[in-house]
Amino acid sequence: MLTDRRIDLGTPGSPIEWIKYRNGHKNGATQNKMARFVPESEIQPKIVTLTIDGIEVSVPEGTSLLRAAALHGIMIPKLCATESLEPFGSCRLCLVEIEGKRGYPASCTTQVEQGMKVKTFSEKLAKLRRNVMELYISDHPLDCLMCPVDGDCELQDMAGAVGLRDVRYGFSGKNHLTSPKDKTNPYFTFDPSKCIVCFRCVRACDEIQGTLALTARHRGFDSVITPGPTHEFLSSECVSCGACVMACPTAALIEDTVIEKGLPLKSTITTCAYCGVGCSFEAQTQGYEVIRMVPYKNGHANHGHSCVKGRFAWTYALSPERPLKPLLRKKIEDPWKEVSWEEAIAYVASEFKRIADKYGRNSIGAVSSSRCTNEEDFLVQKLVRAVFHNNNIDTCARVCHSPTGYGLKAAFGTSAGTNPFDSIQFSDVIFVIGANPTDGHPVFGSQMKRRLRQGARLIVADPRKIDLVKTPHIRADYHLQLKPGTNVALLNAIAYTILEEGLEDRKFIEEKCDKVSFEKWMQFIRKPENAPEAVQEITGVPAETIRAAARLYATGGNAAIYYGLGVTEHSQGTTAVLAIANLAMLTGNVGKEGAGVNPLRGQNNVQGSCDMGSFPHEFSGYRHVSDFETRMLFEQAWNVPLDPEPGLRITNMLTEAVYGNFKGIYVHGEDLTQSDPDSNHVIQALKSMELVVLHDIFLNEMSKYCHVFLPGCSFLEKDGTFTNAERRIQRVRKVMPPLCGKQEWEVIQEIAQAMGYPMHYNHPSEIMDEIARLTPTFRGVSYEKLDKLGSIQWPCNEQATEGTPVMHKEKFFRGLGQFHITGYVPTPEKPSRRFPLILTTGRILHHYNVGTQTRRTQNVIWFKEDILEIHPSDAEERGIKDGELVEVTSRKGSGTFRCKITERVQPGTVYATFHFPESRANIVTTEISDWATNCPEYKVTAVQVSPLAKEAKEKTVAC
Amino acid sequence: MNIVMKEGYEDLIFMANQIGDFFKNYPTTEEAVEGIANHLRKFWSPSMRQRIISYVEKTEGGELAPLVRLAVEKLKSSS
Ligand code: SF4
Ligand code: SF4
Ligand code: SF4
Ligand code: FES
C-alpha cells in the first residue's frame, strides 16, 4: 500500500476553501489575525514565475519551493515536511541551491520569488543529503524486512532517493535502538527506536487535532517524543484521534493491526457510521479483511482527520455476538429458533397482512433509523406508505433532532443547517449552545478549535463547563452557564438586548424577512419579561453577561451558531430552535460564509433519515402528505393510492398499542426500549403487539420483546449514502460481503414483494435515482455524480448542479425569513424537596449513544461505565466521595453511577453520560417531550443523589 | 406515559396544552386558535384528533386551556 501515508505533493486534493485557509495560515494571516471571507471570484492570487532545474514554473505567491517543484513533477527529497502540516524545516533533506543566494536553504520553508533560479540536484546537494540520511540511519534499526511498514516508509524511500550505500559511524555509538515501546494505547504502538524526531506527530497533534498532547523531552540527540503529562499514551492527554500515526513517516507510530497483519493491499473510500460529521475514510483491506480505517485526505467533511471512533472503533462490526441468521418465535416467552431468510420473510409478510386484515390498515407501522443509509430509510417509508397503506412511519431522529426539522423549516423553509463546516474558517464569532463539539463531533470540534486559536471569539451557553470553555490556547469570551431548561429565556434576552441597543441588521430584515412576522415578534420580544434583568433570575446568568454576549454576537462580524441536543431535547426544543433562527435573522447572519444556524447532528444520518420522508406527516424533501401535487407524484410513481393524513409518531404508535389499536411493527436499526422515553411504557406496548420485527446487527434490549429478528449489516457490508450535518451526501461503499447474506435494502424489498407489492431494485443506486426523480432538492443527485464530485450538499438540482454549500444566499428557501414568537414556558419537570437536583445529560468522546457499538470495542479501556458529575458542595452535603458509586433517583426510577466531584457543574445541577444500559435505568425518561415534535426532554430531570447503600455497593461490584 | 392508562385522554390533553402554551403569546386569540388547530391538523393523526374532539364532546374539555378548547372546537367544525 503505497498511497496512503505517502504525501503526494503533486495533487492539491482538498477543497478550495481549505487550501485558502491553509495558504492563509502559511502567509501568517492567522494567529490572532482574522481571515475575512472573500468571495471565490475576487481572489486573484499573484502568480510568480521562476525556474527550477531549468524548467520555467508559475505558481501562486506564497507557495513553497518544495511544493512548486512537486507541482511540476520535480520531487525533492524530504522527511519533516508533509502536505497536511505547516513546514518545519528540521530534517535538512530538502536543501536546494538558489542562484545568487548563499548556502543551501530548505525548500520546504523557502517561498517562491519572481525570477528565482533554483537547482534541486547537484553533487554538493547529493552529498549533503547523504550525510543527513547517514546520521538518521546510524540511529535506526536495520530490520527493514521485518518492519511493519516495509515498503511504506518514507525513511526507506529517502535512503533510496539519496543513494545511501553505507553508514560510516556504525551502530555502536549512542543510539535509541533499545528504547522500550509504548503499547499502552489499545490501537497503536509507539516505538521510539524508529523515531527520527521529525516532529510531524507533535505538529499533527497541535495543528490538526488541537489537543497538544505531544512534546519532545530532552534536547539534541537525546530528544524523545512523549505524550504529556504522564509519558505514556493511555493515561496522557491523548484522545486517540490517530493524526500522529497518520503523519509519522516511519513505523515509530503505527496501528497495531498493521503490526499484527501487515500492510493493506486494497483501499475503498467510505463514510464513518458514527456521528453527524460524516468523515470520509479509506477502508484498507487484505481481501475482505479490514486492516485499518484511514481518514481520507480528500474527504470534504474531514480533510484527512478523524476521531477515535471512526478511526479505530470499528471492530464491533466483526463481533462474534452478531447473530447472522434470522430468528423467529411465535411468542416472546419462547426460545429463539434459527430459520432461513425465506421462512422469516414469508412469516413477517403474512403476519403483517393478517394483522392489517384483522385490525385495520392503521394497525401496523415501522420505525426507521438515522444510523441507516438514505436508500434504506427511503425504502422503509415506501414500505409503509405504499405497502402498509398508511403513514405510520417514524424515525429515531424523532428523539434527537425533530425540533430542528420543525423549527428551521418554519423559519427558513428547509429542515437543515445553513452552512458547511468549512465555513467556520470565516467566522469571527462562534456561539455554541447546547453542544459539546470536542466530545460529540470531534473532527469538527478540532476545526472549530483551529479557528478559535486564530482569534475568533467564542460564546458558550451550557449548564456545564465543556472543554471548549477553557482548553489550550482557547478561552471562551463568555460562558453563559445557564440552568438546564432555560435556553428559550436566555435566547429571548439576547434578542431583547440586540433590539434595545439598536444592534439589529435592519437592511437584512427589510430585504429578506417577512415584515408582518417581524413586527409581531418585535412587540413580543420588547416585553419587559424578556429583558436580561428579568431573565437572570430564571437562567442564573447575570444580566450584564447576557448583554455583553448579545453585543458580541450582533456586532463581532460573521457570527455562526452551532447547537446540539442541549437545545432540542427539551419541552421547548422547537421554541429554542425558532429563537435561534430569530437571532440569526435579526443580525443578518444567514446566507453567508462564516455565519448561519448549524445543528450538530448526533448520529451519522440524522439529516438523511429526515430528508427521506421518515416522519409520519411528510414525504421525502419535507413535503406534507396532504399536499395534493406531491401525493399525486408519488401515487403515480408507486402506482398505489396514498393516505393524505399524517400517521402515528413513535410515542403515539406505542400508546395506541397499549390501547389495543396498534398490533404490528417493523423496527429497523433502533432500540425503542433504550432510545425512547419511559421504557416501561415501551415494554408494555411491545408486549401488547402481535408482531414485533427487529432488523439490527445485535440482539439489543428490545429483542427480548420481539417475534422476529432479521440480522442486519454494518456499514462495512453495504452500499448506500449518508447525509451529514452539513447536508453533504456521501457514499458508503461495501468493503466486504454482508455477513448475514443480505444487505438491508434487499430484505426490505423482499418483505414488500412477499406482501404482494412489486419492488425491484438491482442496486441502491437505483433507489437514489428514484429519490432524485421524486424529490426536488435531490433532483441532480446520482451515484455517478457522487463518484465524480466526492460529495454533494443538497439542494442539488438544475439551479445548483453541483450542490449548495451555503443556503439562503440570495433569499430564504421559503421566500421571506419568518420570525416566530417564542415565549418561555418553564418545563413542568421542576426540582422539589424530594428531588432537589437537576440532572442533565451528555456524551463522551469514546462512546456513542447507548454504546451498542463502542462497548464492543477497546474504547471501554477509557470508559467502562457511566459517570455522574456533581459539584463539591452538593457532594459534601450528601456525604459523597469522589469516585464512589452513587444512586440517582428520579420520579421515574433510579440508577447507579460512578461519581466525579467537579466544578464543571454548578451547585444544583448534576450531569451524567448515558452510554451503558446498566445505569440508564429509566431515570431520564419522564413523559415530558417537546410540544411540537414529541422529542423527549432528556436534558432536564429532577433527581436526588445519594451514596449507594453498602450492601448494594458490594453487590454491584461483585456482578 | 403510563398516565394514559388511567384515562384515555390524558396524554393528548397534556400535549395539546403544551401546544397551547406555544401559541398563547400570539397577538390575537384568532391567531393563537388558528395556530393550534393548524398544528393539530398537520401533525396529529386522524385517530388522535378524533380522540381529543370526543374528549371535548364528552366532558366539555375542562382540562384543556381555553385557547386549546377553542382550537379543538374549530377542528371539529372543519372536520
Ligand atoms: S492520537 Fe491524536 S491526540 Fe493522541 S497524540 Fe496522536 S494526534 Fe495527539
Ligand atoms: S514518532 Fe514519527 S512523526 Fe513523531 S517524531 Fe518520531 S518519526 Fe516523526
Ligand atoms: S468525528 Fe464523527 S464521523 Fe468523524 S470519525 Fe469521529 S465519529 Fe466518525
Ligand atoms: S523537508 Fe524541508 S527540512 Fe525537512
Side-chain angles (χ1 to χ4, degrees):
Chain A
M1 187 77 219
L2 284 173
T3 50
D4 56 304
R5 290 153 54 84
R6 216 93 43 120
I7 304 300
D8 171 11
L9 281 158
T11 39
S14 328
I16 307 272
E17 242 78 346
W18 183 248
I19 290 171
K20 257 189 313 187
Y21 153 64
R22 296 222 63 100
N23 288 344
H25 200 98
K26 281 182 192 130
N27 291 339
T30 55
Q31 303 305 345
N32 296 331
K33 264 197 241 153
M34 306 295 295
R36 288 258 166 196
F37 177 62
V38 186
E40 192 62 35
S41 53
E42 287 170 27
I43 293 182
Q44 302 274 349
K46 210 173 134 206
I47 299 295
V48 173
T49 305
L50 64 158
T51 52
I52 303 179
D53 293 344
I55 303 171
E56 192 172 280
V57 304
S58 297
V59 289
E61 193 178 19
T63 309
S64 72
L65 285 176
L66 183 72
R67 183 166 171 80
L71 286 171
H72 293 81
I74 302 165
M75 291 305 174
I76 303 173
K78 62 172 187 69
L79 270 175
C80 67
T82 172
E83 194 188 36
S84 57
L85 300 169
E86 296 301 310
F88 193 58
S90 75
C91 75
R92 311 292 299 159
L93 205 59
C94 66
L95 310 181
V96 289
E97 290 174 10
I98 302 172
E99 210 177 281
K101 293 211 172 158
R102 291 181 44 197
Y104 303 93
S107 61
C108 63
T109 49
T110 309
Q111 291 187 2
V112 291
E113 279 170 32
Q114 182 65 32
M116 237 181 194
K117 290 201 169 59
V118 182
K119 245 164 84 179
T120 72
F121 281 91
S122 71
E123 270 301 309
K124 180 68 191 166
L125 287 172
K127 196 159 166 234
L128 286 170
R129 288 180 189 144
R130 266 199 298 273
N131 286 347
V132 170
M133 278 314 290
E134 214 176 339
L135 280 170
Y136 276 125
I137 298 295
S138 70
D139 183 21
H140 197 86
L142 290 185
D143 60 352
C144 283
L145 287 181
M146 269 80 73
C147 177
V149 298
D150 181 29
D152 184 25
C153 170
E154 291 182 43
L155 189 67
Q156 220 177 40
D157 297 348
M158 289 307 126
V162 305
L164 185 72
R165 294 295 171 259
D166 74 283
V167 172
R168 285 166 291 166
Y169 315 110
F171 296 93
S172 46
K174 204 172 166 198
N175 61 46
H176 300 91
L177 300 182
T178 52
S179 312
K181 295 179 184 168
D182 179 347
K183 293 183 171 185
T184 55
N185 185 291
Y187 298 118
F188 60 81
T189 295
F190 176 49
D191 179 352
S193 75
K194 303 218 155 137
C195 174
I196 57 169
V197 203
C198 65
F199 277 76
R200 279 203 201 171
C201 53
V202 178
R203 289 180 283 146
C205 194
D206 294 0
E207 294 172 26
I208 300 174
Q209 167 58 25
T211 294
L212 287 74
L214 299 177
T215 47
R217 254 206 298 183
H218 313 305
R219 296 190 151 229
F221 179 82
D222 291 326
S223 25
V224 305
I225 300 298
T226 184
T230 57
H231 306 307
E232 63 154 34
F233 271 93
L234 186 65
S235 55
S236 74
E237 279 162 3
C238 165
V239 293
S240 263
C241 71
C244 54
V245 179
M246 177 103 164
C248 181
T250 71
L253 277 164
I254 186 80
E255 297 91 351
D256 289 349
T257 47
V258 174
I259 299 179
E260 268 160 46
K261 295 177 181 164
L263 286 169
L265 303 165
K266 188 180 164 211
S267 163
T268 311
I269 311 243
T270 190
T271 305
C272 177
Y274 277 116
C275 88
V277 176
C279 296
S280 280
F281 276 90
E282 288 185 46
Q284 299 188 345
T285 46
Q286 290 174 353
Y288 290 136
E289 188 179 9
V290 178
I291 301 295
R292 64 181 170 192
M293 297 288 286
V294 177
Y296 181 44
K297 69 171 178 163
N298 293 342
H300 296 164
N302 58 324
H303 308 292
H305 191 32
S306 64
C307 84
V308 58
K309 292 191 282 289
R311 177 83 150 98
F312 297 117
W314 41 269
T315 41
Y316 71 87
L318 310 168
S319 162
E321 287 172 50
R322 270 180 67 178
L324 300 175
K325 293 239 167 60
L327 304 173
L328 184 71
R329 56 184 174 192
K330 302 259 154 73
K331 293 202 296 290
I332 59 167
E333 297 77 25
D334 293 346
W336 284 116
K337 195 176 105 205
E338 272 189 10
V339 296
S340 67
W341 274 110
E342 291 69 35
E343 187 178 344
I345 285 169
Y347 182 78
V348 168
S350 74
E351 277 298 281
F352 274 131
K353 280 204 288 194
R354 179 187 67 76
I355 294 170
D357 282 346
K358 185 167 170 196
Y359 301 99
R361 68 177 167 88
N362 286 321
S363 61
I364 55 177
V367 173
S368 64
S369 170
S370 41
R371 286 199 285 276
C372 295
T373 65
N374 287 319
E375 292 73 7
E376 288 157 357
D377 286 338
F378 187 82
L379 279 204
V380 176
Q381 62 95 35
K382 180 170 178 179
L383 176 76
V384 170
R385 301 190 205 275
V387 187
F388 289 6
H389 301 296
N390 64 45
N391 288 323
N392 295 335
I393 168 71
D394 207 356
T395 161
C396 61
R398 166 78 57 210
V399 301
C400 61
H401 264 288
S402 46
T404 293
Y406 184 104
L408 297 187
K409 168 127 197 232
F412 302 155
T414 51
S415 301
T418 60
N419 285 51
F421 293 143
D422 284 352
S423 171
I424 200 165
Q425 296 308 147
F426 306 103
S427 296
D428 303 306
V429 178
I430 297 169
F431 181 6
V432 179
I433 170 164
N436 185 3
T438 51
D439 279 67
H441 304 83
V443 165
F444 177 63
S446 289
Q447 200 178 352
M448 184 182 277
K449 285 202 283 187
R450 206 150 41 221
R451 184 60 185 159
L452 291 166
R453 288 199 304 272
Q454 290 166 17
R457 315 278 303 269
L458 174 66
I459 305 167
V460 173
D462 202 290
R464 186 170 162 265
K465 273 197 196 89
I466 56 170
D467 283 347
L468 267 185
V469 171
K470 192 166 176 279
T471 185
H473 303 309
I474 292 169
R475 189 168 210 145
D477 292 83
Y478 302 106
H479 177 206
L480 314 175
Q481 199 165 10
L482 75 179
K483 291 184 193 150
T486 62
N487 288 330
V488 172
L490 179 79
L491 291 162
N492 284 345
I494 294 175
Y496 178 98
T497 309
I498 293 172
L499 266 184
E500 192 193 42
E501 302 189 6
L503 309 177
E504 74 273 19
D505 185 341
R506 282 279 164 174
K507 186 160 170 276
F508 180 93
I509 297 164
E510 266 157 36
E511 282 171 10
K512 296 197 170 166
C513 301
D514 176 74
K515 267 178 221 67
V516 180
S517 72
F518 177 66
E519 291 297 329
K520 285 183 189 164
W521 173 78
M522 211 161 44
Q523 275 176 23
F524 154 78
I525 207 79
R526 286 202 156 128
K527 289 185 187 162
E529 71 248 32
N530 292 322
E533 291 67 24
V535 161
Q536 64 184 357
E537 279 303 302
I538 300 167
T539 60
V541 185
E544 209 25 65
T545 315
I546 301 180
R547 283 185 181 272
R551 285 177 206 127
L552 176 59
Y553 175 74
T555 63
N558 293 337
I561 299 181
Y562 292 89
Y563 73 88
L565 304 182
V567 162
T568 55
E569 288 180 347
H570 284 288
S571 62
Q572 279 205 293
T574 296
T575 319
V577 173
L578 290 168
I580 287 173
N582 288 343
L583 273 187
M585 289 188 288
L586 183 65
T587 52
N589 273 310
V590 192
K592 60 177 181 183
E593 292 280 6
V597 174
N598 305 290
L600 295 172
R601 311 292 195 144
Q603 306 189 111
N604 52 326
N605 203 32
V606 171
Q607 182 68 55
S609 70
C610 299
D611 298 342
M612 289 302 106
S614 308
F615 287 128
H617 63 282
E618 56 197 12
F619 292 113
S620 60
Y622 306 98
R623 290 160 298 163
H624 201 271
V625 289
S626 66
D627 179 55
F628 181 76
E629 254 177 58
T630 307
R631 209 171 56 252
M632 286 307 110
L633 183 73
F634 278 89
E635 288 194 356
Q636 271 165 19
W638 294 350
N639 205 18
V640 280
L642 296 171
D643 189 343
E645 289 283 358
L648 298 166
R649 298 172 179 176
I650 299 175
T651 18
N652 312 126
M653 289 185 214
L654 297 172
T655 310
E656 293 288 344
V658 175
Y659 286 151
N661 304 326
F662 188 84
K663 290 289 187 186
I665 193 167
Y666 165 70
V667 179
H668 187 207
E670 173 63 343
D671 186 342
L672 297 182
T673 56
Q674 280 196 43
S675 317
D676 273 68
D678 203 344
S679 41
N680 288 333
H681 176 62
V682 177
I683 291 166
Q684 193 185 4
L686 292 174
K687 280 184 169 168
S688 41
M689 289 189 217
E690 294 178 11
L691 178 66
V692 179
V693 183
L694 174 66
H695 194 175
D696 206 342
I697 61 173
F698 290 108
L699 280 168
N700 58 29
E701 272 298 297
M702 188 190 136
S703 67
K704 290 185 191 144
Y705 312 98
C706 293
H707 304 94
V708 184
F709 176 81
L710 303 172
C713 304
S714 74
F715 74 114
L716 296 169
E717 299 150 61
K718 52 176 137 181
D719 273 308
T721 55
F722 291 150
T723 308
N724 78 353
E726 23 154 39
R727 292 171 277 109
R728 190 182 296 287
I729 308 160
Q730 304 187 101
R731 274 298 311 276
V732 178
R733 291 187 180 85
K734 198 167 81 180
V735 175
M736 54 178 164
L739 298 179
C740 64
K742 278 184 203 293
Q743 289 191 50
E744 288 163 31
W745 66 269
E746 296 174 293
V747 176
I748 304 162
Q749 166 162 300
E750 285 176 27
I751 295 173
Q753 285 167 355
M755 290 182 74
Y757 181 83
M759 200 186 264
H760 298 286
Y761 304 95
N762 297 306
H763 188 267
S765 65
E766 297 177 8
I767 307 174
M768 181 52 86
D769 293 341
E770 180 169 323
I771 297 168
R773 277 197 303 277
L774 294 170
T775 318
T777 41
F778 275 67
R779 185 99 71 219
V781 180
S782 68
Y783 276 32
E784 210 188 335
K785 199 186 271 185
L786 282 168
D787 287 343
K788 200 171 114 216
L789 300 178
S791 75
I792 300 172
Q793 287 177 280
W794 67 259
C796 174
N797 47 29
E798 295 76 11
Q799 290 83 43
T801 51
E802 301 204 337
T804 313
V806 177
M807 287 203 80
H808 318 296
K809 262 185 158 163
E810 264 76 61
K811 60 181 179 78
F812 280 101
F813 197 82
R814 70 183 296 286
L816 294 169
Q818 184 86 3
F819 280 84
H820 285 85
I821 291 170
T822 52
Y824 167 66
V825 181
T827 166
E829 181 74 9
K830 290 192 179 65
S832 62
R833 190 178 296 192
R834 256 184 84 206
F835 304 110
L837 300 170
I838 287 289
L839 167 73
T840 189
T841 60
R843 40 174 92 190
I844 49 173
L845 171 71
H846 297 87
H847 288 288
Y848 174 75
N849 274 20
V850 289
T852 316
Q853 290 123 317
T854 45
R855 277 188 289 116
R856 290 181 168 96
T857 69
Q858 298 192 65
N859 279 21
V860 290
I861 203 166
W862 288 282
F863 286 95
K864 296 173 198 61
E865 53 195 354
D866 282 317
I867 299 285
L868 178 98
E869 291 184 355
I870 185 166
H871 189 271
S873 64
D874 287 332
E876 197 188 330
E877 214 173 278
R878 291 167 176 75
I880 292 169
K881 286 184 205 64
D882 193 40
E884 74 176 3
L885 286 170
V886 292
E887 182 168 43
V888 180
T889 319
S890 77
R891 287 188 295 117
K892 282 288 171 178
S894 67
T896 310
F897 289 79
R898 181 78 53 193
C899 99
K900 186 168 160 193
I901 299 179
T902 165
E903 289 184 1
R904 270 183 186 246
V905 287
Q906 285 187 308
T909 303
V910 290
Y911 162 91
T913 60
F914 280 88
H915 297 295
F916 293 82
E918 304 83 53
S919 49
R920 191 170 182 85
N922 275 358
I923 316 169
V924 288
T925 52
T926 69
E927 69 279 16
I928 298 161
S929 63
D930 173 50
W931 67 270
T933 66
N934 285 137
C935 179
E937 181 162 70
Y938 287 143
K939 297 287 175 183
V940 189
T941 311
V943 295
Q944 179 57 289
V945 179
S946 42
L948 201 64
K950 203 159 170 252
E951 323 78 77
K953 216 182 280 179
E954 275 153 17
K955 214 170 124 218
T956 318
V957 172
C959 62
Chain B
M1 217 169 282
N2 22 18
I3 35 175
V4 173
M5 298 317 297
K6 284 185 267 152
E7 172 71 75
Y9 308 116
E10 287 194 16
D11 58 329
L12 297 186
I13 295 170
F14 186 82
M15 282 162 61
N17 281 338
Q18 264 191 307
I19 295 166
D21 273 340
F22 177 80
F23 289 98
K24 73 179 178 210
N25 286 304
Y26 275 45
T28 64
T29 307
E30 289 82 71
E31 281 173 88
V33 169
E34 179 48 36
I36 299 166
N38 194 33
H39 186 92
L40 298 180
R41 237 180 263 125
K42 270 174 85 175
F43 298 98
W44 282 27
S45 72
S47 60
M48 292 160 71
R49 296 198 304 255
Q50 200 40 57
R51 211 142 49 85
I52 199 87
I53 290 172
S54 78
Y55 163 70
V56 172
E57 281 172 348
K58 284 192 194 140
T59 67
E60 290 181 3
E63 284 181 59
L64 288 176
L67 285 172
V68 180
R69 202 166 54 234
L70 288 173
V72 173
E73 264 150 24
K74 183 162 181 172
L75 209 58
K76 189 175 134 192
S77 58
S78 68
S79 64

